Amino acid sequence: MTQAFWTFIALVSHWRRHPVNFGALFVGLAIATALWSGVQALNEHARASYDRAASIFGAGGARSIVPTRGGSVSQDLFVKLRLAGWKVSPVLEGTVRIHGKRFRLIGIEPVTLPREAGVAVVAGEGALGAFLKPPGRMIVTPETLRELSAAESVAIVIDGGKTLPPIEALAAALPGALVVDIGVAQAVLNRPEQISRLIFKEPPSAVAPPLATVAGDALRLVPPREEESDIRRLTESFHLNLTAFGLLACLVGFFIVHAAFGLAFEQRLAMVRTMRAVGVSARTLIVAMLGELALLALVAGSAGVGAGYLLAAALLPDMAASLDGLYGARVAGQLALDPMWWISGLGIAVIGSLVAAGGGLFKAFYLPVLMAAQPFAWRQVQQKFLWRRSVLGALGIAAFLVAHFYGKGLYAAFGMIAGLLLGAALLLPLLLDGVLRLGEKYASQPLAQWFWADCRQQLPGLSLALMALLLALSTNVGVGAMVEGFRKTFTQWLDERLVAEVYFEVAGNAETQQIEAWLEKRPEVSAILPMSKIKIRLGGWPVDIVGMKPHETYRNHFPMLSETGDAWGELQRGEGALVSEQLARRLDLALGSTLDVPAADGQWRVRIAGIFPDYGNPKGQLRIDIDRLMRLWPETPRMGYSLRTAPKAVPELIDALQTEFGQQISQISDQAAIKNLSMRIFERTFAVTAALNLLTLLVAGIALLANFLTLGNVRLAQLAPVWAVGVSRMRLAQLEFLRVLLLAAVTSAFALPLGLALAWQLVAVVNVQAFGWRLPFHVFPAQLGQTVALALLTAAAAAIWPIIRFVRITPAALAKVFANER
Amino acid sequence: MAGETRASLLRVAGLKKSFTTPQGRLAILKGVDLELDVGSSLALMGESGSGKSTLLHLIAGLDDADEGEIFLDDVAVTRLPDFGRAALRRETLAVVFQQFNLIPSLTIRANVAFQARLAGRLDPVWREELVGRLGLENLMERYPEQLSGGQQQRVAIARALAPRPRLLLADEPTGNLDEATADDFIKLTTEVVAATGCAFLMITHSKRLAARLERQVTLSSGVIKEL
Ligand SMILES: Nc1ncnc2c1ncn2[C@@H]1O[C@H](COP(=O)(O)OP(=O)(O)OP(=O)(O)O)[C@@H](O)[C@H]1O
Ligand SMILES: [Mg+2]
């Protein structure tokens, strides 16, 4: 024990004499942990929010009973069930509009509500009284309060004139929902005596009759699995993407740890030999090294987890906005994480650094005592490891190819990316060596010859940092190309799709005939294009069926991926349907194939006449003629209208519509506004990935800096002889700088094709697997140029300080290299 | 002291060692026999490449022999596992090399105490005496790189003797020093070693320095010859 302790002290003393190296190692480890745990925090938080929002009634093992035919049923059934021994609690859910915005209103009965049901918002004696006693309370999250643009204790009036109870904001409330007493909900929603759900936790008493005996076929028990939220499933791929980037960034970070520990080990070889010579056993040495590593991982990991928390908190607003915009998923605005998250963050730091430094420890254990004394022998071992790495790299590429040709599904796609990136990274030193060998061959001047040979000699020490740079750069190129391609495609698509000048939605029970009659009398309106929408499930997937008029506006502008010769004719005759790319992939539909749609009265068979891109829509969409839709589902309300008019007439028309119909219409907007909104949503979606991207590059920069600093003293011994034979320090510094730029340039040249391959994987494979639609693949030369510039900049920034230190060094210090070979 | 028979401390018998080189196997030690008494001193000489360091490494348990035995206080060094040899190096013997004996990131004070602390027998009085005898008093808070070669080697001796080993092995400890410094160093070292009652085996190329020890042997053609 004392042995291990003093060995540990000696090992750690190394860092006290090399604080900058230690700082780099520390920061690298902390950033890696921060990126990983930050992304995990975002994911965790979002998932927890979906679960809370969507399956609030399924939390803690609670079960639901819902009306078999949807909608609501009389609350008499609740009384009957209670009397029969079912410990159920009634719920009424509905939607209200406030200033044109939709909110989910949930009416509960707090006394019978199971505590585990997750609606623990009505806690405490006094609170319960206030909630139940008129005028009651409406419980919302602070974010929802902000969205309502209201203050606490204010009673909001909804569109339609009814008044809600005074607001109370609670952080633990349901994101995006307004929770009131069930009686209040029945009054506000105009559904007196109605309930839409019954929940229970305790199983019914043994003597209780089965559900069917009490309620006939009016109610059904929701199977536990169905409780899992649709939103959670729909957004799963978004989070998978995030996780993948988090992992990649984290990997880059652990490359640093690997490199830094390897270098530190090399630096401490003399020390290790001395310790072995004075009687430290190999085992004690390993224990001490492990202790050092674990301590570092714990301290830096803690810092990293803390930074991850801050990172997540900073990115959360963007993510919340993008999830809301993309999927209508509400995420609570305040980060709340359970202890497991902190522990797992630390775990990642410890395990990651053990794996990253494990190779060094392993080598330390098997390195013969005497061999440690001979740097040459060490180099040989290093060389062997380099070869082994190249073999691993080749294996990685092979794994990529296997996954490419035989793999299926999202995980195979990510496996493919991992294989490609790791394989390429591990092969990088070999490639660099080849390039430098070429340079050496064609150099004729002695200094140039030394330059190339020296670069090659530096390679083993720098290769890991360069690999990190390669990974960061190709991620940058890949994700950048994907985001840019997305933006470009999406803008074009919006231009085509939002070709009508005015669009508005109609409120629930609007007098649509009256609106249509009024519009027909307006001379400036050249076309009225109504739309209706119903929600169904096809193959277990949520699908919107949209009814539209096959007007020439659409014939000329509606973007299609492929269509039959007379797609719009087929649509008009009610024979054909247009299907979104996602749905076509999901259900394996091709042009001309048929689809059976469950309609109000039996199946409706329809032919696929066209496939259209529907970027970013997590649901499937089927577009059919609106008259056909109304015949199949007569109850369907109008959803909204697109109007064609002269652009100049837009503001006036919107004004007139608003004055005439006010409350009955909402979301009235012109094309430009919608386009803006959509673009904003997508910008935000990728704000998170862009931030991660940049941070990854930063990590790579730190890896390089750490490397240069760690190599500093060794480097001095290599430069001193060249200086001694008459090359000035300034000239040497210039060559150093050139060397760094050269290596970074070659690395980035390799990163470009790799990044494009990554981009292709993302748009053509991962995106299809995750979202169900494929993006066109674009190459953006300006972006590639920017990446190369960024690489050089990163490398230069990392190199500049060590080089300045070198220029400033006194000749005496350089000469000392000869006096004392330490 | 003449006539007095001292107990044997180190006994090397029939030691063989060869290395694999690109030119095939190269036999370096071809049956080395050597004995060293408690508290005695011995100079090991021989041409460069004759295998002196190899022999010293084997005695210190830093490398494995092909054949033969090494007994230290009746313990068979050759048969000990790694941790047993490490314990031996901590407690029974000490090694000083030509250079790189100190831990660069520790102060001289910590370096001197290092081995004794490992062995769990740091005696502050003895350490101070060593420091005094070797003239290190004013260097204690410095780092190795701030010392001259001769000073560094004196620190190495202090470090080696601090745990009171039974045998001090030195591989050309004066190899990096000038004649005068080397003479001083050997004088100091032999005095301190004698005061400790520790046996001393030193490899050297210098006949002059070798003559300062009680016995001199050479290693040549893989075997030991008494001079
Ligand atoms: N690990 C090794 N692998 C191969 N050959 C080795 C190895 N170690 C030593 N040798 C060879 O063994 C021979 C003896 O080496 P050793 O270092 O013992 O010589 P030495 O007598 O100490 O020489 P010097 O006086 O120069 O220090 C040399 O020829 C050397 O090349
Ligand atoms: Mg030697």
Side-chain angles (χ1 to χ4, degrees), chain A residues 318-330 616 618 677 681-682 685:
Chain A
D318 266 330
M319 193 193 70
S322 84
L323 285 171
D324 191 9
L326 265 182
Y327 306 103
R330 294 299 176 86
L677 182 76
I681 291 169
F682 278 91
T685 305

Side-chain angles (χ1 to χ4, degrees), chain B residues 17-64:
Chain B
K17 175 76 181 173
S18 52
F19 289 109
T20 314
T21 63
Q23 288 79 43
R25 278 199 81 73
L26 184 66
I28 304 297
L29 304 182
K30 299 171 181 166
V32 168
D33 298 304
L34 185 68
E35 233 171 293
L36 193 60
D37 291 339
V38 172
S40 69
S41 64
L42 172 82
L44 176 60
M45 304 180 57
E47 278 172 30
S48 187
S50 57
K52 305 181 294 294
S53 297
T54 305
L55 175 59
L56 186 132
H57 292 158
L58 290 174
I59 295 173
L62 292 169
D63 205 352
D64 289 310

Side-chain angles (χ1 to χ4, degrees), chain A residues 325-634:
Chain A
L326 265 182
Y327 306 103
R330 294 299 176 86
V331 174
Q334 205 173 38
L335 208 54
L337 297 159
D338 67 319
M340 259 327 279
W341 174 80
W342 296 94
I343 295 170
S344 73
L346 277 183
I348 276 283
V350 172
I351 292 171
S353 37
L354 273 181
V355 171
L361 293 179
F362 194 71
K363 276 182 264 179
F365 196 74
Y366 283 101
L367 205 64
V369 186
L370 285 172
M371 212 185 214
Q374 302 159 346
F376 175 69
W378 170 248
R379 289 247 173 253
Q380 268 183 331
V381 174
Q382 189 77 358
Q383 205 60 35
K384 223 192 266 169
F385 272 83
L386 207 75
W387 272 109
R388 218 170 284 174
R389 226 178 259 157
S390 302
V391 170
L392 276 178
L395 283 178
I397 299 282
F400 159 73
L401 291 174
V402 168
H404 181 71
F405 288 112
Y406 300 104
K408 272 227 155 63
L410 198 55
Y411 289 98
F414 276 121
M416 214 143 76
I417 289 183
L420 177 68
L421 286 181
L422 272 177
L426 291 168
L427 287 176
L428 177 71
L430 218 61
L431 182 101
L432 285 171
D433 195 58
V435 172
L436 296 177
R437 219 180 268 244
L438 222 64
E440 200 176 354
K441 208 172 129 190
Y442 291 107
S444 50
Q445 285 201 323
L447 196 58
Q449 257 166 6
W450 168 78
F451 175 78
W452 291 102
D454 177 69
C455 281
R456 279 190 65 199
Q457 199 196 348
Q458 288 301 298
L459 215 48
L462 281 176
S463 64
L464 277 165
L466 290 172
M467 286 180 200
L469 183 67
L470 177 77
L471 287 182
L473 287 175
S474 28
T475 311
N476 227 287
V477 172
V479 178
M482 183 188 81
V483 172
E484 276 307 308
F486 197 103
R487 192 172 290 145
K488 185 173 171 173
T489 313
F490 190 68
T491 319
Q492 280 171 358
W493 175 74
L494 275 181
D495 279 345
E496 300 269 284
R497 187 107 168 226
L498 301 178
V499 71
E501 283 75 18
V502 176
Y503 174 80
F504 67 90
E505 284 182 15
V506 290
N509 316 324
E511 299 292 330
T512 48
Q513 277 160 356
Q514 194 193 330
I515 297 175
E516 279 179 36
W518 182 87
L519 283 170
E520 263 155 31
K521 280 196 221 106
R522 303 286 299 192
E524 74 269 35
V525 178
S526 56
I528 306 163
L529 308 169
M531 278 222 258
S532 288
K533 184 164 88 175
I534 64 146
K535 292 174 195 197
I536 62 161
R537 272 177 180 275
L538 283 177
W541 206 38
V543 172
D544 288 335
I545 300 188
V546 175
M548 65 197 281
K549 229 179 196 161
H551 187 262
E552 60 174 315
T553 298
Y554 298 122
R555 287 174 195 250
N556 295 339
H557 294 286
F558 195 77
M560 292 273 220
L561 293 172
S562 60
E563 57 190 305
T564 57
D566 183 28
W568 294 98
E570 285 183 53
L571 200 71
Q572 189 144 33
R573 291 190 295 274
E575 297 158 6
L578 307 180
V579 62
S580 72
E581 185 191 359
Q582 287 91 306
L583 189 60
R585 281 190 201 277
R586 181 65 76 104
L587 300 182
D588 209 4
L589 297 171
L591 283 187
S593 54
T594 58
L595 177 65
D596 287 328
V597 181
D601 45 355
Q603 297 278 353
W604 174 55
R605 176 159 292 191
V606 65
R607 231 167 70 87
I608 305 304
I611 298 174
F612 62 93
D614 197 15
Y615 303 125
N617 192 347
K619 292 192 202 170
Q621 205 176 78
L622 198 66
R623 288 186 170 242
I624 62 172
D625 179 60
I626 189 162
D627 297 333
R628 166 62 64 170
L629 180 88
M630 295 316 290
R631 251 176 288 144
L632 287 167
W633 292 276

Side-chain angles (χ1 to χ4, degrees), chain A residues 168-187:
Chain A
E168 187 176 335
L170 283 177
L174 296 175
L178 318 176
V179 176
V180 295
D181 180 63
I182 189 160
V184 175
Q186 287 169 338

Side-chain angles (χ1 to χ4, degrees), chain A residues 3 6-7 10 13-14 16-17 271 273-283 369-370 816 820-822, chain B residues 57 62-63 82-83 86 89-90 95 97 99-106 114-115 117-118 143 145 152 159:
Chain A
Q3 243 198 86
W6 290 112
T7 309
S13 70
H14 171 81
R16 206 179 56 211
R17 301 277 289 159
M271 183 202 274
R273 185 197 58 160
T274 305
M275 291 201 287
R276 296 283 278 126
V278 303
V280 176
S281 66
R283 213 187 300 168
V369 186
L370 285 172
K816 206 172 170 196
N820 183 345
E821 285 183 44
R822 204 173 298 262
Chain B
H57 292 158
L62 292 169
D63 205 352
D82 178 75
F83 64 87
R89 285 199 296 277
R90 261 192 323 272
V95 197
F97 296 102
Q99 54 179 358
F100 301 139
N101 286 296
L102 306 179
I103 293 174
S105 48
L106 293 179
F114 190 69
Q115 190 173 355
R117 274 177 173 155
L118 282 182
Y143 284 94
E145 73 201 17
Q152 286 187 17
R159 187 263 286 150

